[in-house]
Amino acid sequence: MVQTQRHNYWGYCALALAASIWGGMYVVSKYALDFIPPFTLLWLRYITGFCVLFPLAVRQHKTPLTRADQRAFLSIGFVGYFVSVGLQFIGTRLSSAHNGAIITSASPAFILLFAWLMLGERLTRRKLISVLMATAGVIIVVGWDSGTSGGGWALAGNLALIGAAVTWALLSVLARKFSASLSPLAITTGAVFWAAIMTTPVMVVEWHFLPVHGLSNPLLWGAVLYLGVVATAGAFYFWNKGLSLVEAGTGSVFFFLQPVVGALLGWLVLGEQLTVSFFIGGSVILLAVMIASLPSPAAFSAKAK
């Protein structure tokens, strides 16, 4: 029991760290997307991240990879890192930040559904309450901006963000499933490798429509390094590590820390104002995370015995 609680604790820390890194990623990616189009930036992220992850994975993983392992890497790389993150970049470019924060916050609800269907995890009352509370907290923080300008392009961006939320949920459940036989480092490295390969032809086509510029800007390369090393190699590993230690449905609630951290960094770095709604909604989200991460009554009773 003590060992299980220790695993849960480290799992919660890893998930919270990954979500916090991704919260800061929005500030950096918004800057980088002004110079580099979405799939080119995605390719640079993955190549940089893979260069960091591969030497570590080779040192850790001594046994030969099987075809089943490669299928696991391919499925996670395609569903999560190619489709989901690609749709997220497209949606961020076309839609508003408010709508992006609200729509992508639906991902934990889909994680609960996929974890129930694919892993047999129970849909407990506490999981449902924590996800509903966190969703309400995000809406309080960012508001519901129905007056997004941009017409059809904004609608396309919102649809892309919905697709990103659904596919990220599927990624999280697949990572939990494959963690039974593969280490989080192996999963992250293999999936990033396949995602980089799949992104390459899309990137080449993208160059015909969206040019790359500003490559002499050192700040831009600093942003690329952050996205590749910290937000890809680091955060993807921590997310997969956390999901190997706790149930996908419980861990999904930590996804809601992204908009809170993003708003705080927007205040610190960009000088954006924080309203009363941020503190109210942020408190609701943190309360939801606490509800999801506290040991169950059964764990308390077992410990007492």
Side-chain angles (χ1 to χ4, degrees), residues 101-286:
I102 293 173
I103 293 170
T104 54
S105 70
S107 191
F110 291 114
I111 292 176
L112 284 180
L113 178 62
F114 287 137
W116 173 57
L117 292 174
M118 298 172 60
L119 303 178
E121 293 185 3
R122 292 176 56 207
L123 284 173
T124 63
R125 183 181 302 175
R126 184 165 65 167
K127 289 179 184 178
L128 293 172
I129 290 175
S130 61
V131 168
L132 290 174
M133 284 183 60
T135 303
V138 171
I139 294 175
I140 293 172
V141 169
V142 302
W144 187 274
D145 184 9
S146 58
T148 303
S149 60
W153 288 116
L155 175 60
N158 290 339
L159 292 175
L161 290 166
I162 292 172
V166 175
T167 48
W168 186 261
L170 184 55
L171 153 78
S172 299
V173 174
L174 288 173
R176 170 69 177 174
K177 177 182 178 181
F178 294 131
S179 65
S181 57
L182 291 165
S183 71
L185 181 58
I187 292 174
T188 308
T189 306
V192 166
F193 169 76
W194 283 109
I197 291 177
M198 288 180 279
T199 305
T200 302
V202 183
M203 174 187 66
V204 173
V205 173
E206 182 181 62
W207 289 342
H208 295 284
F209 305 97
L210 299 171
V212 179
H213 59 95
L215 295 181
S216 60
N217 183 356
L219 286 178
L220 177 60
W221 287 108
V224 170
L225 286 175
Y226 174 87
L227 293 172
V229 177
V230 181
T232 300
F236 282 177
Y237 168 77
F238 286 125
W239 186 257
N240 292 335
K241 179 67 175 178
L243 290 174
S244 72
L245 298 175
V246 302
E247 287 189 342
T250 302
S252 67
V253 180
F254 288 84
F255 192 82
F256 289 106
L257 292 175
Q258 283 191 80
V260 177
V261 174
L264 280 172
L265 290 177
W267 169 62
L268 288 171
V269 177
L270 303 178
E272 296 177 351
Q273 292 187 347
L274 295 180
T275 62
V276 175
S277 63
F278 167 80
F279 294 100
I280 296 175
S283 299
V284 173
I285 292 171
L286 293 177

